[in-house]
Amino acid sequence: MAPSMEIDDNVDKKSKSSTAAKKVGTPSASSEEASPHPDMSLAQDIHRVMMVHSSTLSVEDATAIIGMDPVALLDKVISRVGTGGKSVEEAIKENEAKYNKTEEDSTEDKKKDEDEDSDKTEEIVEPLLNAALYRHLQSTLGYNKSDALSEVNLTAIEAHHEAIIKILRENITKAKDEAGDMEVLHAHMDVARYCAKCTTKEMALSTYEE
């Protein structure tokens, strides 16, 4: 029997069910409104490296299934969860620039993104900068390569997120004072989505319930 991974079978079934549901009903959110996090593709990759690490799946079978050496897949996962191969300082600076903008800057960037959408041939995958998930993978999988992020790096990333979340929460207050209910809702969702991407599961769930 050809090797298989249960998560792939489940995803296929869920995809078919989801497709059928969309044909007979109205989805709860459009593709633009739905949160991209947690990323199911990344979750699958993490599941695969976990299966290899626990010897549930052999290296040979894993390579045949995913078309990639599991060691290379682990490096890919760690890079995505961390800084995407950039230095911590560079990754933080880029992420910070997205949130320290004037309203005019944001409008210009939005127009630029819309103009560039039609020219994109593939999706740009941004690093999560998720210190909590990085620690978990590093500990569970024994990832200790020389270029692995240190605890000092991870603490700096967490401090950065605290500053960004403060900015996003200030936007909630601003929306309450200057805008309507829909703008307040969107501001709350910005906080929740950011936490889903960059913080712990508990914090993400807490912000979604606010």
Side-chain angles (χ1 to χ4, degrees):
M1 181 182 295
S4 65
M5 303 187 76
E6 183 180 350
I7 188 168
D8 294 327
D9 296 335
N10 288 340
V11 169
D12 287 342
K13 292 175 183 177
K14 289 178 180 178
S15 296
K16 292 176 182 177
S17 298
S18 176
T19 301
K22 288 180 180 179
K23 290 180 180 179
V24 298
T26 303
S28 58
S30 70
S31 59
E32 292 182 353
E33 294 171 337
S35 174
H37 303 288
D39 183 327
M40 292 299 103
S41 176
L42 176 61
Q44 277 192 306
D45 285 344
I46 291 175
H47 176 76
R48 288 162 177 156
V49 296
M50 289 288 190
M51 288 186 72
V52 173
H53 180 74
S54 64
S55 299
T56 303
L57 189 71
S58 70
V59 172
E60 293 76 14
D61 284 349
T63 302
I65 293 166
I66 63 180
M68 178 187 292
D69 181 78
V71 174
L73 179 60
L74 174 58
D75 288 338
K76 174 186 172 185
V77 166
I78 290 292
S79 177
R80 175 78 196 287
V81 173
T83 62
K86 301 173 183 176
S87 69
V88 172
E89 293 77 12
E90 183 182 3
I92 286 177
K93 184 177 180 180
E94 287 186 1
N95 193 55
E96 188 176 49
K98 299 174 186 176
Y99 299 94
N100 287 333
K101 295 178 179 179
T102 65
E103 187 173 339
E104 182 179 349
D105 291 335
S106 298
T107 302
E108 290 179 356
D109 285 347
K110 184 177 180 181
K111 185 178 185 303
K112 182 180 178 182
D113 290 341
E114 290 172 350
D115 292 340
E116 292 178 348
D117 277 345
S118 58
D119 297 329
K120 292 180 180 177
T121 56
E122 62 181 43
E123 183 182 359
I124 298 175
V125 180
E126 294 182 333
L128 299 188
L129 291 175
N130 192 314
L133 181 54
Y134 194 99
R135 284 194 189 95
H136 172 70
L137 294 176
Q138 195 173 34
S139 173
T140 304
L141 302 173
Y143 190 84
N144 56 3
K145 287 192 173 182
S146 60
D147 59 348
L149 299 180
S150 67
E151 183 57 33
V152 172
N153 293 150
L154 297 175
T155 300
I157 289 172
E158 287 176 324
H160 163 68
H161 291 323
E162 288 178 5
I164 298 299
I165 291 170
K166 181 180 178 181
I167 292 173
L168 294 176
R169 290 193 180 281
E170 288 173 351
N171 290 340
I172 296 175
T173 301
K174 182 178 180 181
K176 288 179 178 178
D177 294 339
E178 303 176 6
D181 291 342
M182 188 58 67
E183 287 77 11
V184 172
L185 175 60
H186 285 314
H188 274 291
M189 291 303 296
D190 285 343
V191 176
R193 287 170 176 168
Y194 190 88
C195 289
K197 174 186 175 184
C198 303
T199 68
T200 64
K201 178 179 71 175
E202 292 74 19
M203 186 169 184
L205 290 173
S206 175
T207 54
Y208 268 108
E209 291 170 356
E210 288 181 359

